[in-house]
Amino acid sequence: MSKMNTLLSRIKPLHHPKPISPSPIPFPPHFKILVKDIIQILSTHPHWQNSLETRFSDCETPVSGIAHFVFDRVRDPELGLKLYEWASKRSDVNDLLDGFSCSSLLKLLARCRVFVEVENLLETMKCKALAPTREALSFVISAYVDSGLVNRALELYHIANDIHKYPPDVIACNALLNALIQQKKVEIARKVYEEMVKRDGCWDNYSVCIMVRGLCKERNVEEGRKLINDRWGKGCIPDIVFYNALVDGYWKRGDVERANSLFKELKMKGFLPTTETYGIMINGFCKNRSFQAVDRLLVEMKERGLDVNVQVYNSIVDAQIKHGCKIEVRKTLRWIFENGCEPDIITYNTLISGSCRDGNVHEAEQLLEHAIKRGLSPNKLSYTPLIHVYCKQGKCVRALDLFFVMTEKGHPLDLVAYGALVHGLVAAGENDLRSALKLFGQMVKQKYKPNVVTYTSLINGFCRTGDSSRAEKTFEAMRSSGLKPNVVTYTILIGCFSKEGKISKASSFFELMLLNRCIPNDVTFNYLINGLTNNVATAISNKANESLEIKASLMMDFFRTMISDGWEQRAAAYNSVLICLCHHKMVNVAMQLRDKMTSKGIFPDPVSFAALLYGLCLEGRSNEWKNSISCKLNEREHQIAVNYSEKLNQLLPQGLTSEALKIFHTLLEGVKPHIQENNFIVPASNRS
């Protein structure tokens, strides 16, 4: 029985026969001479119009009776258009070209991909009520699909169905269906497929297979199986190609059990798995890190006499490296060679990448040399990992050498490699910052748009050399190009200006960071706190000149106020940062910072309380304040909190009042009255 099943599986499935074109009109011998003469006149005669007039005056055949033969035999669309335009201007009604002749011209124009002329002819035929033949319209649809103009092909498909009342042939329909699936327009493809099935002769086994493959790519495997069952015996006989699509679909969905079950089922039904089938299973098991199952499948392939191709070995090696397995390069290459397979450049690239990942640059270089000796052509994926690792190791000279070798061979660096090289050169010091700038310029010339990492690397380089002015200009160029600086970018600049004592500048970048919803980290906070506490005198003395340089800073304003009110420097610094965070609706980040300051022995005070309550109210979380912030304040501390809350209230748009201020006044009613207004008494723990 199993032998019978095996034999049956080898029988090729039935397909619908290709649609038969209309029987050609008989071609009398004297027509051959006439067609040949017309083509020669169109091709060679300078006064071809007169020559055509003379030639047709000598015969009884009208232009309309011979034109389609000419269109079918010329290869130059210009010749066909010349004859069409000449015939269109003739006064004899017998010479006017009919729909059949125009359809022949349509095929010629579509074959040569002159779609502007195709559209012009279709419009003219529409105006003259000339319908293109099914064959011609099918030909045009296929040509549009082949050229990637799928939307227009779809429009013509609907025109054929809805206006001309005949569907395109199965070849055109399948081409359109396949293109829609490739563009992931599965819903549109499903509608086209359903229309194809409704019309007998417009679909075949391949149509079903295309649709099944599309559904499986979208991980809708069950619908794909149902589609096969619905068409079984109705012109569709599933073969191994169907099973391959289904198995692949299960793997893409991560359904290991069903993929394995279906693989066993197809063998039990007598279908012979192909190299592609095993490749799908091996690739799936590799992603699942089931390397023992992979070994069993390799043995099974050999037993069935199937050759294991290099793509299968590449999948295995790539998976082993990605899963962190230890790879012995020599042993791996010997294993591939001994199994009768030749490693390709992808094999070497994968191994080079793995060696670079492990920091084994010498081994990676040897692999590159070995690939070249074997006649393989290295590409950017061969060089890029080496450039990356050399940059990380600070060996920028060698990285540049590889860069030049790579570009000389016609393999320009990709964006990531450029970024790595720029970063490596910046990290190497100031003779290399210049090199980085040159490389950056070359990168822009080659129309690579530098990313955030590349810009940030340059900014870091300028900051390290004390050139904060160029760092700031690079930052502005980065924003002008439409890129959003990240936390590293802002932190580098904040750190640079803080160390230079330009604390107002640092605070402006901090507030810009918050305005752009970029969340600071511990390094950012450390730079700011240290910058404020180490530059108190500068921060206060620069107040008069600050408005001339930069926009007034919220953080600096509160820091100066707190210093003036007698707050200890670090407490004033932390509170100023807390106020900024809360004002920009980052209360959760502010609470994390509050916990950090507490762990360092700087305990929350009335200003911390006012800032956090203000922030919670801004975020619409006023009902959470009792569970989020402590309220153990005495009478005078309440008054201090109220005064700072009133100052925060001034930051709101005119006419609005923070709910925090209302809460404070309610709290004040519960403490002893007769508090003198503006009687600021700083808690002893926070006095200077």
Side-chain angles (χ1 to χ4, degrees):
M1 186 65 183
S2 61
K3 288 184 178 179
M4 180 60 71
N5 287 335
T6 303
L7 288 171
L8 287 172
S9 70
R10 295 182 180 180
I11 299 175
K12 292 184 178 179
L14 294 174
H15 293 268
H16 283 295
K18 290 183 180 179
I20 301 173
S21 301
S23 300
I25 295 176
F27 195 60
H30 68 278
F31 270 29
K32 290 183 180 180
I33 298 172
L34 180 58
V35 168
K36 183 178 179 182
D37 290 345
I38 293 171
I39 294 174
Q40 186 174 12
I41 290 169
L42 291 169
S43 305
T44 60
H45 287 223
H47 304 291
W48 57 271
Q49 295 97 332
N50 295 334
S51 299
L52 282 179
E53 290 286 355
T54 302
R55 183 64 182 87
F56 275 101
S57 66
D58 294 339
C59 68
E60 297 179 356
T61 305
V63 178
S64 59
I66 197 71
H68 61 278
F69 290 118
V70 177
F71 295 143
D72 287 343
R73 281 159 181 75
V74 295
R75 294 292 175 265
D76 186 348
E78 187 178 347
L79 301 184
L81 288 170
K82 283 165 70 173
L83 178 61
Y84 170 75
E85 291 169 1
W86 178 78
S88 300
K89 295 175 183 177
R90 291 176 66 79
S91 57
D92 190 343
V93 71
N94 293 324
D95 285 337
L96 295 177
L97 301 187
D98 56 14
F100 189 76
S101 297
C102 289
S103 294
S104 294
L105 178 58
L106 265 180
K107 291 193 292 182
L108 169 62
L109 298 176
R111 188 185 304 117
C112 298
R113 305 296 192 262
V114 282
F115 293 118
V116 173
E117 300 299 341
V118 168
E119 294 296 333
N120 290 339
L121 182 54
L122 283 171
E123 186 61 30
T124 301
M125 292 176 71
K126 180 181 176 181
C127 293
K128 293 182 179 180
L130 298 176
T133 62
R134 182 192 187 201
E135 181 188 18
L137 204 49
S138 299
F139 202 95
V140 171
I141 289 171
S142 296
Y144 272 111
V145 170
D146 291 343
S147 299
L149 303 170
V150 182
N151 289 339
R152 181 53 180 156
L154 184 62
E155 289 174 7
L156 290 173
Y157 168 83
H158 289 306
I159 288 172
N161 279 315
D162 302 336
I163 297 177
H164 299 300
K165 303 303 179 184
Y166 54 72
D169 62 33
V170 70
I171 296 174
C173 287
N174 282 345
L176 176 60
L177 193 65
N178 193 46
L180 290 169
I181 290 295
Q182 288 178 349
Q183 292 187 355
K184 297 184 178 179
K185 297 178 179 178
V186 179
E187 289 304 315
I188 299 174
R190 184 187 276 109
K191 291 178 182 177
V192 170
Y193 171 78
E194 288 170 355
E195 289 175 356
M196 290 167 63
V197 171
K198 287 178 183 176
R199 296 179 172 89
D200 189 36
C202 290
W203 68 278
D204 59 11
N205 231 33
Y206 185 47
S207 315
V208 183
C209 191
I210 292 170
M211 201 62 219
V212 170
R213 190 167 63 241
L215 291 168
C216 290
K217 282 183 178 179
E218 293 294 308
R219 302 183 181 182
N220 199 346
V221 192
E222 298 308 326
E223 188 178 349
R225 294 191 77 164
K226 184 178 182 301
L227 204 68
I228 296 171
N229 293 334
D230 289 345
R231 303 267 32 102
W232 192 296
K234 300 174 184 176
C236 171
I237 302 178
D239 57 14
I240 191 63
V241 178
F242 286 86
Y243 277 104
N244 287 348
L246 293 172
V247 172
D248 189 47
Y250 280 129
W251 277 117
K252 281 184 170 63
R253 204 169 71 179
D255 197 335
V256 182
E257 186 177 342
R258 291 197 178 184
N260 207 21
S261 175
L262 188 61
F263 180 66
K264 293 176 181 177
E265 177 187 316
L266 71 88
K267 291 190 287 186
M268 287 177 62
K269 287 185 175 180
F271 289 94
L272 293 177
T274 62
T275 300
E276 183 184 358
T277 319
Y278 281 103
I280 292 168
M281 291 296 295
I282 288 171
N283 190 48
F285 280 123
C286 282
K287 289 179 180 177
N288 205 40
R289 204 177 181 176
S290 302
F291 293 113
Q292 288 184 345
V294 169
D295 291 337
R296 288 197 301 269
L297 288 173
L298 289 173
V299 171
E300 190 175 313
M301 285 184 75
K302 289 181 181 179
E303 289 175 349
R304 290 180 178 269
L306 293 173
D307 293 328
V308 183
N309 56 37
V310 71
Q311 287 79 17
V312 172
Y313 287 114
N314 289 344
S315 294
I316 297 170
V317 175
D318 183 60
Q320 288 174 335
I321 289 173
K322 285 180 179 176
H323 285 298
C325 300
K326 181 65 179 176
I327 298 292
E328 295 182 31
V329 169
R330 293 181 182 277
K331 187 176 179 181
T332 300
L333 286 174
R334 186 165 60 250
W335 170 58
I336 297 173
F337 278 118
E338 287 176 353
N339 282 282
C341 193
E342 290 283 324
D344 59 9
I345 193 62
I346 297 174
T347 318
Y348 281 96
N349 288 350
T350 305
L351 291 170
I352 287 170
S353 180
S355 297
C356 289
R357 180 204 64 181
D358 297 335
N360 197 339
V361 189
H362 180 65
E363 184 178 75
E365 288 269 23
Q366 285 183 324
L367 283 165
L368 185 63
E369 291 176 9
H370 191 246
I372 294 170
K373 285 179 181 178
R374 290 195 54 241
L376 299 173
S377 299
N379 53 36
K380 68 179 182 180
L381 296 178
S382 314
Y383 294 104
T384 302
L386 280 161
I387 290 173
H388 273 278
V389 75
Y390 277 128
C391 287
K392 286 181 181 178
Q393 294 178 354
K395 299 176 181 177
C396 293
V397 175
R398 180 55 183 151
L400 278 173
D401 287 342
L402 287 173
F403 163 71
F404 290 126
V405 170
M406 183 174 170
T407 50
E408 284 171 3
K409 290 181 179 292
H411 302 297
L413 282 176
D414 59 14
L415 185 60
V416 177
Y418 261 117
L421 194 49
V422 169
H423 178 75
L425 290 168
V426 168
E430 182 180 357
N431 299 336
D432 288 329
L433 181 55
R434 293 191 187 122
S435 299
L437 284 169
K438 288 181 181 178
L439 193 65
F440 184 85
Q442 185 171 346
M443 180 180 182
V444 174
K445 281 182 182 178
Q446 292 189 357
K447 297 184 178 179
Y448 279 112
K449 185 180 178 182
N451 59 16
V452 174
V453 176
T454 309
Y455 272 109
T456 302
S457 295
L458 280 180
I459 290 169
N460 186 40
F462 288 128
C463 287
R464 286 175 56 186
T465 57
D467 196 345
S468 57
S469 175
R470 292 187 75 180
E472 195 172 358
K473 287 178 182 177
T474 306
F475 175 83
E476 292 304 326
M478 173 185 180
R479 295 181 70 202
S480 298
S481 67
L483 294 172
K484 291 184 178 180
N486 59 24
V487 62
V488 178
T489 319
Y490 283 111
T491 301
I492 287 169
L493 285 163
I494 290 168
C496 174
F497 288 118
S498 295
K499 289 173 184 176
E500 290 182 356
K502 299 176 181 177
I503 192 62
S504 296
K505 205 77 158 170
S507 66
S508 70
F509 273 102
F510 178 62
E511 292 181 37
L512 180 64
M513 178 184 193
L514 302 185
L515 187 66
N516 287 294
R517 310 306 298 166
C518 182
I519 299 175
N521 58 24
D522 287 347
V523 180
T524 321
F525 293 137
N526 287 337
Y527 279 141
L528 282 171
I529 302 301
N530 291 332
L532 286 167
T533 53
N534 294 333
N535 297 280
V536 176
T538 305
I540 295 173
S541 63
N542 282 351
K543 184 176 181 180
N545 299 324
E546 189 175 279
S547 59
L548 299 175
E549 297 176 4
I550 58 174
K551 186 179 178 181
S553 165
L554 172 67
M555 187 174 74
M556 293 301 298
D557 186 21
F558 274 90
F559 180 70
R560 291 181 185 122
T561 299
M562 293 189 70
I563 293 296
S564 176
D565 289 341
W567 247 253
E568 189 269 333
Q569 294 174 1
R570 291 191 74 78
Y574 271 108
N575 279 331
S576 300
V577 176
L578 280 176
I579 286 168
C580 270
L581 290 169
C582 291
H583 179 66
H584 288 280
K585 299 182 180 180
M586 292 188 179
V587 181
N588 290 340
V589 181
M591 288 182 177
Q592 291 171 8
L593 181 61
R594 175 201 60 185
D595 295 340
K596 287 185 176 70
M597 65 185 276
T598 303
S599 68
K600 292 182 180 180
I602 303 170
F603 298 99
D605 53 37
V607 179
S608 310
F609 178 75
L612 293 171
L613 182 58
Y614 170 78
L616 285 170
C617 291
L618 276 184
E619 290 188 10
R621 299 164 56 189
S622 57
N623 59 333
E624 300 178 22
W625 77 267
K626 290 183 179 178
N627 297 323
S628 302
I629 49 180
S630 175
C631 184
K632 296 179 181 179
L633 303 179
N634 60 33
E635 298 170 9
R636 290 177 181 139
E637 288 171 341
H638 268 293
Q639 185 61 57
I640 293 169
V642 169
N643 280 276
Y644 273 90
S645 185
E646 287 176 345
K647 187 172 177 63
L648 285 168
N649 199 62
Q650 294 171 8
L651 301 173
L652 296 173
Q654 192 172 5
L656 292 180
T657 302
S658 170
E659 195 174 348
L661 200 56
K662 298 176 185 177
I663 294 173
F664 273 122
H665 284 303
T666 302
L667 289 172
L668 272 174
E669 293 175 2
V671 297
K672 292 181 180 180
H674 312 300
I675 302 174
Q676 296 181 359
E677 280 189 55
N678 302 322
N679 182 20
F680 287 83
I681 299 179
V682 181
S685 61
N686 285 331
R687 289 179 187 168
S688 302

